[in-house]
Coordinates of all heavy atoms in Angstrom, one line a residue:
G1 N 47.7 -0.2 -42.5 CA 47.4 -1.7 -42.5 C 46.3 -2.0 -41.6 O 46.2 -1.4 -40.5
A2 N 45.4 -2.8 -42.0 CA 44.2 -3.1 -41.2 C 43.7 -4.5 -41.4 O 42.6 -4.8 -41.9 CB 43.0 -2.1 -41.6
G3 N 44.6 -5.5 -41.2 CA 44.3 -6.9 -41.4 C 43.1 -7.4 -40.7 O 42.3 -8.1 -41.4
S4 N 42.9 -7.2 -39.5 CA 41.8 -7.7 -38.7 C 40.4 -7.2 -39.2 O 39.4 -7.7 -39.0 CB 41.9 -7.5 -37.2 OG 41.9 -6.1 -37.0
M5 N 40.5 -6.0 -39.9 CA 39.3 -5.4 -40.5 C 38.7 -6.3 -41.6 O 37.5 -6.3 -41.9 CB 39.6 -4.0 -41.0 CG 38.4 -3.3 -41.4 SD 38.9 -1.6 -41.8 CE 38.5 -1.5 -43.6
F6 N 39.6 -7.1 -42.2 CA 39.2 -7.9 -43.4 C 39.1 -9.4 -43.1 O 38.6 -10.1 -43.9 CB 40.2 -7.7 -44.5 CG 40.3 -6.3 -44.9 CD1 41.4 -5.5 -44.6 CD2 39.3 -5.7 -45.7 CE1 41.6 -4.2 -45.0 CE2 39.4 -4.3 -46.0 CZ 40.6 -3.6 -45.7
V7 N 39.5 -9.9 -42.0 CA 39.5 -11.3 -41.7 C 38.7 -11.6 -40.5 O 38.9 -10.9 -39.4 CB 41.0 -11.8 -41.5 CG1 41.0 -13.3 -41.2 CG2 41.8 -11.6 -42.7
F8 N 37.8 -12.6 -40.5 CA 37.0 -12.9 -39.4 C 37.0 -14.4 -39.2 O 36.8 -15.2 -40.1 CB 35.5 -12.5 -39.7 CG 34.5 -13.1 -38.7 CD1 34.4 -12.5 -37.5 CD2 33.7 -14.1 -39.0 CE1 33.5 -13.0 -36.6 CE2 32.8 -14.6 -38.1 CZ 32.7 -14.0 -36.9
N9 N 37.3 -14.9 -38.0 CA 37.3 -16.3 -37.7 C 36.0 -16.6 -37.0 O 35.7 -16.2 -35.9 CB 38.5 -16.7 -36.7 CG 39.8 -16.5 -37.4 OD1 40.0 -17.0 -38.5 ND2 40.8 -15.8 -36.8
G10 N 35.2 -17.4 -37.7 CA 33.8 -17.7 -37.2 C 33.8 -18.9 -36.3 O 34.8 -19.5 -36.0
P11 N 32.6 -19.4 -35.9 CA 32.5 -20.5 -35.0 C 32.9 -21.8 -35.7 O 33.2 -22.8 -35.0 CB 31.0 -20.6 -34.7 CG 30.3 -19.8 -35.9 CD 31.3 -18.8 -36.3
Y12 N 33.0 -21.9 -37.0 CA 33.5 -23.1 -37.7 C 35.0 -23.0 -38.0 O 35.5 -23.8 -38.8 CB 32.7 -23.3 -38.9 CG 31.2 -23.4 -38.6 CD1 30.3 -22.4 -38.9 CD2 30.7 -24.5 -38.0 CE1 29.0 -22.5 -38.6 CE2 29.4 -24.7 -37.6 CZ 28.5 -23.7 -38.0 OH 27.2 -23.8 -37.7
K13 N 35.7 -22.0 -37.4 CA 37.1 -21.8 -37.7 C 37.4 -21.5 -39.2 O 38.4 -21.7 -39.7 CB 38.0 -23.0 -37.3 CG 37.8 -23.5 -35.9 CD 38.6 -22.6 -35.0 CE 38.6 -23.2 -33.6 NZ 38.6 -22.3 -32.5
A14 N 36.4 -21.0 -39.8 CA 36.5 -20.5 -41.2 C 37.0 -19.1 -41.3 O 37.0 -18.4 -40.3 CB 35.1 -20.6 -41.9
V15 N 37.5 -18.7 -42.4 CA 38.0 -17.4 -42.6 C 37.1 -16.7 -43.7 O 37.0 -17.2 -44.8 CB 39.5 -17.4 -43.1 CG1 40.0 -16.0 -43.4 CG2 40.3 -18.1 -42.0
L16 N 36.6 -15.6 -43.3 CA 35.8 -14.8 -44.2 C 36.6 -13.5 -44.5 O 37.0 -12.8 -43.6 CB 34.5 -14.4 -43.6 CG 33.7 -13.3 -44.3 CD1 33.2 -13.8 -45.7 CD2 32.5 -12.9 -43.5
I17 N 36.9 -13.3 -45.8 CA 37.7 -12.1 -46.2 C 36.8 -11.2 -46.9 O 36.2 -11.6 -47.9 CB 38.9 -12.5 -47.0 CG1 39.8 -13.5 -46.2 CG2 39.7 -11.3 -47.4 CD1 41.0 -14.0 -47.0
S18 N 36.7 -10.0 -46.5 CA 35.8 -9.0 -47.1 C 36.6 -7.8 -47.4 O 37.1 -7.1 -46.5 CB 34.6 -8.7 -46.3 OG 35.0 -8.1 -45.1
Y19 N 36.8 -7.5 -48.7 CA 37.6 -6.3 -49.1 C 36.7 -5.2 -49.4 O 35.5 -5.3 -49.7 CB 38.4 -6.6 -50.4 CG 39.4 -7.7 -50.2 CD1 39.2 -9.0 -50.6 CD2 40.6 -7.5 -49.5 CE1 40.1 -10.0 -50.4 CE2 41.5 -8.5 -49.3 CZ 41.3 -9.8 -49.8 OH 42.2 -10.8 -49.6
L20 N 37.3 -3.9 -49.3 CA 36.5 -2.8 -49.7 C 36.3 -2.9 -51.2 O 37.1 -3.3 -52.0 CB 37.3 -1.5 -49.4 CG 37.7 -1.2 -48.0 CD1 38.6 0.0 -47.9 CD2 36.5 -1.1 -47.1
D21 N 35.1 -2.4 -51.7 CA 34.8 -2.5 -53.1 C 35.6 -1.3 -53.8 O 36.2 -0.5 -53.2 CB 33.3 -2.4 -53.4 CG 32.7 -1.1 -53.0 OD1 33.3 0.0 -53.0 OD2 31.5 -1.1 -52.7
K22 N 35.6 -1.4 -55.1 CA 36.4 -0.4 -55.9 C 36.1 1.0 -55.6 O 37.0 1.9 -55.5 CB 36.2 -0.7 -57.4 CG 37.1 0.1 -58.3 CD 36.9 -0.3 -59.7 CE 37.9 0.5 -60.6 NZ 37.9 0.1 -62.0
T23 N 34.8 1.4 -55.4 CA 34.4 2.7 -55.0 C 35.0 3.2 -53.7 O 35.5 4.3 -53.5 CB 32.9 2.9 -55.0 OG1 32.4 2.5 -56.3 CG2 32.4 4.3 -54.7
E24 N 34.9 2.3 -52.7 CA 35.4 2.6 -51.4 C 37.0 2.7 -51.4 O 37.5 3.7 -50.8 CB 35.1 1.5 -50.4 CG 33.6 1.4 -50.1 CD 33.2 0.2 -49.3 OE1 33.7 -0.9 -49.6 OE2 32.4 0.3 -48.4
R25 N 37.6 1.9 -52.1 CA 39.1 2.0 -52.3 C 39.5 3.3 -53.0 O 40.4 4.0 -52.5 CB 39.7 0.8 -53.1 CG 39.7 -0.5 -52.3 CD 40.5 -1.6 -53.0 NE 40.2 -1.7 -54.4 CZ 39.3 -2.5 -54.9 NH1 38.6 -3.3 -54.1 NH2 39.2 -2.6 -56.2
S26 N 38.8 3.7 -54.0 CA 39.0 4.9 -54.7 C 38.9 6.1 -53.8 O 39.6 7.1 -53.9 CB 38.1 5.0 -56.0 OG 38.4 4.0 -56.9
S27 N 37.8 6.1 -53.0 CA 37.6 7.3 -52.1 C 38.7 7.4 -51.1 O 39.2 8.5 -50.8 CB 36.3 7.2 -51.4 OG 36.3 6.1 -50.4
L28 N 39.3 6.3 -50.6 CA 40.5 6.4 -49.7 C 41.7 6.9 -50.5 O 42.5 7.7 -49.9 CB 40.7 5.0 -49.1 CG 39.7 4.6 -48.1 CD1 40.0 3.2 -47.6 CD2 39.6 5.5 -46.9
Y29 N 41.9 6.4 -51.7 CA 43.1 6.9 -52.5 C 43.0 8.4 -52.7 O 44.0 9.1 -52.7 CB 43.1 6.2 -53.9 CG 43.4 4.7 -53.8 CD1 42.8 3.8 -54.6 CD2 44.3 4.2 -52.8 CE1 43.1 2.5 -54.6 CE2 44.5 2.8 -52.7 CZ 43.9 2.0 -53.6 OH 44.2 0.6 -53.5
E30 N 41.8 8.9 -53.0 CA 41.6 10.3 -53.3 C 41.9 11.1 -52.0 O 42.5 12.2 -52.1 CB 40.2 10.6 -53.7 CG 39.9 10.1 -55.2 CD 40.9 10.7 -56.2 OE1 41.1 11.9 -56.1 OE2 41.3 10.0 -57.0
L31 N 41.5 10.7 -50.8 CA 41.8 11.4 -49.6 C 43.4 11.5 -49.5 O 43.9 12.5 -49.0 CB 41.3 10.6 -48.4 CG 39.8 10.7 -48.1 CD1 39.4 9.7 -47.0 CD2 39.5 12.1 -47.7
R32 N 44.1 10.5 -49.8 CA 45.5 10.5 -49.7 C 46.2 11.5 -50.6 O 47.2 12.1 -50.3 CB 46.1 9.1 -49.9 CG 47.4 8.9 -49.4 CD 47.9 7.5 -49.6 NE 49.2 7.6 -50.2 CZ 49.6 7.0 -51.3 NH1 48.8 6.2 -51.9 NH2 50.8 7.2 -51.8
R33 N 45.6 11.7 -51.7 CA 46.2 12.7 -52.7 C 45.9 14.1 -52.3 O 46.6 15.0 -52.9 CB 45.6 12.4 -54.1 CG 46.0 11.1 -54.6 CD 45.4 10.9 -56.0 NE 45.8 9.6 -56.5 CZ 45.1 8.9 -57.4 NH1 44.1 9.5 -58.0 NH2 45.5 7.7 -57.8

């Protein structure tokens, strides 16, 4: 779990969520296998 890696609270109290793209997720899944 890495919640803070994906959520950022900026100066406007906004939330920016940035997920790993499909290629990055796939590379992590392959490592697990």
Side-chain angles (χ1 to χ4, degrees):
S4 62
M5 187 173 118
F6 302 106
V7 179
F8 171 76
N9 293 313
Y12 302 108
K13 304 280 188 214
V15 176
L16 168 66
I17 300 175
S18 59
Y19 297 102
L20 299 175
D21 65 30
K22 187 175 182 175
T23 303
E24 291 170 319
R25 288 190 313 269
S26 294
S27 69
L28 290 174
Y29 294 142
E30 288 304 316
L31 282 174
R32 200 177 127 232
R33 291 182 185 159

